[in-house]
Amino acid sequence: MSLNSTAFSHPPYFLLIGIPGLEKEQFWIAFPFCIMYVIAVLGNMTLLLIIKAEPSLHEPMYLFLAMLAFTDLVLSTSTLPKMLGIFWLGSGEIGFLSCLAQLFFIHTFSSVESGVLMAMALDRYIAICHPLRHSSILSVPVVVALGSLVLVRGVLLVSPFCFLLHRMPFCQQHVISHSYCEHMAVVKLACGDTRVNVIYGLFVAFIVTGSDMILIIVSYTMILRVVMRLPSTEARLKAFSTCASHISVILAFYVPALFTFLTHRFGQSIPPHIHIMVANLYLLVPPMLNPIVYGVKTKNLWDRVV
């Protein structure tokens, strides 16, 4: 392959423009984003350190929480430093391979986060509906195996995104109307036939999000049936309170994820700045919220902090 055809196939870099339509406001938008990132990093690092240091917390619920904290750190750190560079310094250039690497980490760990939330819902279901069998069903090796499977699933399903994009010709177009390298935003710049990329993207979204959401909904439906049968009002309220905090975390992740996914494919009438703002918050709000919600709601963790 000649040098010219290689340059034609792969631009040396892409240019991330940040939030389309809000280029002048980006400088100020970066401040709340930065604060959210700092809270996410400090909160999740604190969770990991407490769970690691305290042997009594080495049980399924807290091990899943540690997985969630690690995933949130990877998700937010793979996007925020570069995003702040775009907003504050105007450094939107990102190398072709760096863009594919960022895309890989974002989509792999979004898939992992979805899987961990599903595993946490199953943990709550077993703890509430089969409390006597909880420790035998969800032993530490089973929890580690579940976490490993969720990670392997993400890597195996997302890797083809990168291979497919690496083989695509990109012509002269290299401006990405986004704050980070998101799969469909990069696919739109390709000048070859992108049907395989689009169909495979839909397949992965339905396999991951679809299966995880179905299991989460089934788990919480079964939990609520058991909770409604509890004899005391106090016990019901306590169980509802625990479930409500978990459901709020789940909604904070899935609602913007589905909005972003559907907007890329069907939401041409939605202004680009709204779409990109939601896509940015999708990678910021859950990592910030998770340690706050779980830290405050989980007495054992809170006791270690105070």
Side-chain angles (χ1 to χ4, degrees):
M1 187 179 278
S2 71
L3 184 64
N4 286 343
S5 63
T6 305
F8 177 83
S9 294
H10 294 162
Y13 64 89
F14 288 115
L15 190 65
L16 293 161
I17 64 169
I19 306 171
L22 294 179
E23 286 85 355
K24 290 180 181 176
E25 292 82 2
Q26 282 177 176
F27 181 84
W28 302 108
I29 292 169
F31 285 97
F33 277 21
C34 185
I35 292 165
M36 290 163 79
Y37 176 58
V38 169
I39 294 169
V41 170
L42 292 176
N44 287 297
M45 286 292 288
T46 304
L47 272 185
L48 283 171
L49 291 172
I50 292 169
I51 293 167
K52 183 177 185 296
E54 185 54 58
S56 69
L57 298 179
H58 296 174
E59 54 184 70
M61 179 178 170
Y62 300 106
L63 293 175
F64 285 132
L65 192 49
M67 291 176 198
L68 194 66
F70 176 76
T71 303
D72 284 338
L73 283 171
V74 175
L75 260 184
S76 52
T77 303
S78 62
T79 51
L80 249 292
K82 180 62 184 174
M83 204 184 291
L84 294 176
I86 299 165
F87 294 173
W88 278 336
L89 307 173
S91 61
E93 284 190 14
I94 184 167
F96 181 78
L97 293 177
S98 299
C99 184
L100 291 188
Q102 188 187 52
L103 182 153
F104 172 80
F105 278 103
I106 289 168
H107 289 287
T108 296
F109 281 89
S110 291
S111 165
V112 171
E113 176 127 356
S114 177
V116 173
L117 289 172
M118 177 267 291
M120 291 175 87
L122 287 176
D123 171 60
R124 290 299 83 207
Y125 161 70
I126 296 167
I128 291 171
C129 300
H130 305 283
L132 299 177
R133 297 173 60 201
H134 182 253
S135 56
S136 60
I137 295 172
L138 276 180
S139 62
V140 171
V142 170
V143 171
V144 172
L146 265 174
S148 303
L149 278 173
V150 163
L151 178 59
V152 169
R153 178 188 72 169
V155 170
L156 290 180
L157 286 174
V158 173
S159 295
F161 286 167
C162 302
F163 294 129
L164 288 168
L165 284 169
H166 198 271
R167 296 179 61 191
M168 295 293 293
F170 281 89
C171 310
Q172 303 303 312
Q173 180 68 0
H174 67 283
V175 177
I176 300 176
S177 298
H178 212 301
S179 309
Y180 54 84
C181 290
E182 196 269 346
H183 177 240
M184 281 307 296
V186 179
V187 166
K188 286 177 180 176
L189 300 186
C191 58
D193 186 355
T194 60
R195 277 178 298 181
V196 173
N197 303 67
V198 173
I199 291 166
Y200 184 68
L202 284 166
F203 166 75
V204 170
F206 283 123
I207 285 290
V208 173
T209 312
S211 61
D212 290 350
M213 283 185 73
I214 287 166
L215 282 167
I216 288 168
I217 290 165
V218 169
S219 296
Y220 277 103
T221 303
M222 304 286 274
I223 288 168
L224 289 172
R225 283 177 62 190
V226 170
V227 168
M228 292 304 288
R229 293 198 202 113
L230 290 174
S232 77
T233 307
E234 189 182 344
R236 282 202 298 271
L237 287 174
K238 187 179 177 183
F240 274 128
S241 173
T242 305
C243 290
S245 64
H246 292 192
I247 291 167
S248 66
V249 165
I250 288 163
L251 290 175
F253 176 76
Y254 281 111
V255 170
L258 287 171
F259 176 86
T260 305
F261 167 73
L262 294 170
T263 302
H264 258 310
R265 288 155 179 84
F266 314 111
Q268 283 74 25
S269 60
I270 293 171
H273 64 274
I274 292 175
H275 172 206
I276 304 306
M277 278 291 283
V278 172
N280 292 343
L281 293 172
Y282 154 62
L283 296 181
L284 262 180
V285 173
M288 180 190 71
L289 271 185
N290 291 347
I292 296 170
V293 170
Y294 284 110
V296 170
K297 280 289 180 185
T298 309
K299 186 178 184 298
N300 289 9
L301 271 175
W302 193 239
D303 289 345
R304 299 300 177 282
V305 176
V306 296

